[in-house]
Amino acid sequence: PPRLTTRFVETDALTAARAGSLGYAEFQTPLSEPGGGVAGALRSLAALAAGDPTDNCCVNLVQHGGDLVAMTETQRSWRAIDPATLKSRGRVPWAAGSRLGVLGTAHPHPDPAGGGGLINVATDINPPFFSSYQVYTVSAQPPWHRQLLASIPCDDRAAPRWLHSFGVTDRSVVVIEQPAAYDVPAMLGVRSASHG
């Protein structure tokens, strides 16, 4: 008979939650409550600018480079998981100098060029003028390197759109801007999220 085994993925966000704290900005949940003042907004802005939102990798699990990889829509969330025991092995070892975007999809696709790599899309949030989507490859073996393939300016650079996933063909990556925009002021705790 099949055996069900479950484990928490050991992350910084889980450690903070066990200690009774919201240690990181979560999806549409800023570090500071709306109306938390300038200090709270600056704290949230610093975390966003540093690419340091949550590592709560609760969205997807893919096989890559001999590991299972748990992830969510942040660049720091990728965690290696032992496929036999489900034990957390730690944060994915990104190669130096391969940081792209702040957020990204949790649904990378196999690279049609072969070689075992992945293709993913990151969102670089730099309002009001420079937000963009960054299409990149991920190498097949650690330390994993992210190589930029294309940078696409957001239609509204002050309000980049949330990308849940994207399409890949043999020759193209298809990125569709969805109607749901990131509410950057809400991400900073300046106002409540609109969710629409």
Side-chain angles (χ1 to χ4, degrees):
R3 186 178 119 210
L4 173 66
T5 302
T6 60
R7 283 186 183 241
F8 283 106
V9 179
E10 296 297 326
T11 65
D12 298 337
L14 179 61
T15 300
R18 284 178 171 154
S21 168
L22 176 67
Y24 298 88
E26 298 289 342
F27 188 76
Q28 288 293 53
T29 306
L31 283 174
S32 62
E33 290 294 320
V38 173
L42 290 175
R43 181 176 170 219
S44 293
L45 178 63
L48 184 63
D52 201 27
T54 189
D55 65 345
N56 179 10
C57 44
C58 60
V59 174
N60 196 13
L61 193 65
V62 299
Q63 282 197 291
H64 187 63
D67 279 321
L68 291 174
V69 180
M71 59 188 69
T72 193
E73 286 94 352
T74 69
Q75 294 293 4
R76 74 183 289 266
S77 72
W78 290 29
R79 293 286 181 149
I81 308 294
D82 183 294
T85 65
L86 300 183
K87 183 176 181 188
S88 300
R89 289 187 175 162
R91 190 167 287 132
V92 163
W94 294 113
S98 68
R99 181 179 183 268
L100 292 170
V102 173
L103 303 173
T105 82
H107 303 284
H109 295 277
D111 188 340
L118 299 172
I119 292 181
N120 205 4
V121 179
T123 303
D124 195 24
I125 300 177
N126 288 301
F129 305 116
F130 303 109
S131 296
S132 65
Y133 308 111
Q134 299 173 327
V135 180
Y136 63 95
T137 59
V138 178
S139 60
Q141 297 298 321
W144 294 345
H145 182 74
R146 292 176 276 202
Q147 181 178 350
L148 183 66
L149 297 176
S151 183
I152 305 164
C154 298
D155 186 54
D156 180 351
R157 293 187 178 195
R161 305 303 173 168
W162 176 60
L163 299 179
H164 177 76
S165 191
F166 58 99
V168 176
T169 71
D170 287 344
R171 299 179 44 143
S172 301
V173 173
V174 181
V175 176
I176 300 172
E177 281 194 306
Q178 305 293 326
Y182 285 110
D183 187 339
V184 176
M187 291 171 78
L188 301 178
V190 174
R191 69 173 180 222
S192 295
S194 64
H195 301 293

